[in-house]
Amino acid sequence: VLDPTTGVEITTPLGAPRGLEEDNPYETEGKTQDEQDRLFLDTLKQFHGSDTPPRKHFCVTPATGVILLSEGAAYLREYGGRGNGCYWLFDIISTEVLPLFKRYPENDLISFEITVKDGQASLLATSNAGSKLWTRHIGFADLIDMELVLWMLRGDGYGHVLIPSEY
């Protein structure tokens, strides 16, 4: 939805309010693509604990549950696809990784590893003890080449996704 006064997008396609205070590193004028990518990764590394309440991620299939995003995870969702966001990644986490808590009730934490190389992504979810719970290959990913770990903590009917440095 666009703001009628400014024409700026104020909500996501599903109606959730936009509201990150951080600037989009891909809207930085005068920087090369590599410099913008580096700025994105450097900003992602700077997230640590916060007093800001987590943001809900609304998935197209809410019956699977809700995930709450820390500031760092929300930053990744908004700007991860070279400034276009990577909502698709968090939809996968909502629909395929969150249900692992029901399948493996002994886990209170799932480690979610994302490896992107040459436009393809490998996703891996592991248990508290390090055993593989789930894996998926994505043939096309708009994320930059990177390796990143997210943690999902079990909540009562939801998962809380954060970057390990935010714990």
Side-chain angles (χ1 to χ4, degrees), residues 15-27:
R18 295 240 185 236
L20 287 178
E21 296 78 32
E22 298 84 13
D23 292 324
N24 185 342
Y26 294 98
E27 292 178 354

Side-chain angles (χ1 to χ4, degrees), residues 20 50-58 66-74 77 158-162 166:
L20 287 178
S50 170
D51 293 332
T52 305
R55 294 174 176 91
K56 281 188 179 178
H57 176 75
F58 297 94
V66 172
I67 58 173
L68 302 178
L69 307 179
S70 67
E71 283 183 287
R77 179 189 67 178
Y158 65 89
H160 190 150
V161 180
L162 56 129
E166 295 179 289

Side-chain angles (χ1 to χ4, degrees), residues 72-165:
Y75 181 83
L76 173 64
R77 179 189 67 178
E78 290 295 319
Y79 303 127
R82 290 220 155 109
N84 297 313
C86 60
Y87 281 75
W88 59 268
L89 177 65
F90 290 91
D91 285 348
I92 289 171
I93 293 172
S94 294
T95 57
E96 297 181 33
V97 179
L98 181 60
L100 294 174
F101 281 131
K102 288 182 183 171
R103 220 159 114 205
Y104 303 100
E106 67 279 6
N107 288 303
D108 291 325
L109 177 136
I110 292 175
S111 179
F112 185 73
E113 300 170 29
I114 306 154
T115 304
V116 183
K117 183 76 175 152
D118 299 328
Q120 297 190 18
S122 296
L123 310 176
L124 171 67
T126 57
S127 70
N128 304 19
S131 60
K132 182 167 90 169
L133 302 175
W134 171 92
T135 186
R136 180 161 175 195
H137 175 78
I138 305 292
F140 172 77
D142 56 358
L143 293 167
I144 62 173
D145 287 356
M146 66 177 176
E147 292 182 8
L148 180 69
V149 173
L150 297 174
W151 285 350
M152 185 174 352
L153 304 171
R154 176 196 303 272
D156 189 18
Y158 65 89
H160 190 150
V161 180
L162 56 129
I163 295 170
S165 63

